[in-house]
Amino acid sequence: QVQLVESGGGLVQAGGSLRLSCAASGLTFSNYAMGWFRQAPGKEREFVATISWSGGSTYYADSVKGRFTISRDNGKNTVYLQMNSLKPEDTAVYSCAARGHYTATAPGAYGFWGQGTQVTVSS
């Protein structure tokens, strides 16, 4: 079965950096676009970033543009989210998701999800 396992979350001070990883198994990773989403307590899940199956196309939420970078290594079946200049409002559970081929920003467009990793940014 398909498994997406996130890692790399933690507690960081404002202005710091974290790199999240999402390891995929049970699917032909290079056939799937990948996305990162986040959900803060009491809020809806929101789109963060997405990358196409080849890595040639990326798209970011305005709130993270210029600070976060999504990338992937199809040889390692892994997608990454490099997060720099973190702010307290970035605090959330971050989840990766997979969908066939093309990127999308709506959570409902993704068929496979990881359990998430907590990111907490202190002020």
Side-chain angles (χ1 to χ4, degrees), residues 32-102:
Y32 286 80
M34 299 297 295
W36 284 99
F37 293 80
R38 67 187 182 186
Q39 188 167 20
K43 295 189 176 181
E44 291 188 353
R45 178 177 282 169
E46 67 169 345
F47 165 75
V48 175
T50 183
I51 188 167
S52 62
W53 64 274
S54 67
S57 178
T58 58
Y59 185 74
Y60 298 91
D62 287 343
S63 59
V64 306
K65 202 173 295 181
R67 299 188 298 122
F68 291 10
T69 302
I70 189 171
S71 62
R72 67 189 295 160
D73 185 337
N74 285 348
K76 293 183 178 180
N77 287 6
T78 301
V79 63
Y80 305 97
L81 185 69
Q82 177 67 43
M83 306 186 294
N84 299 329
S85 302
L86 283 161
K87 305 174 181 180
E89 51 263 43
D90 294 319
T91 295
V93 174
Y94 284 71
S95 299
C96 65
R99 73 182 305 269
H101 289 290
Y102 303 111

Side-chain angles (χ1 to χ4, degrees), residues 107-119:
Y110 289 79
F112 302 106
W113 290 85
Q115 291 297 310
T117 185
Q118 176 70 47
V119 171

Side-chain angles (χ1 to χ4, degrees), residues 1-4 24-30 32 34 77 98 112:
Q1 72 278 21
V2 175
Q3 282 195 314
L4 302 177
S25 60
L27 75 171
T28 305
F29 184 70
S30 58
Y32 286 80
M34 299 297 295
N77 287 6
F112 302 106

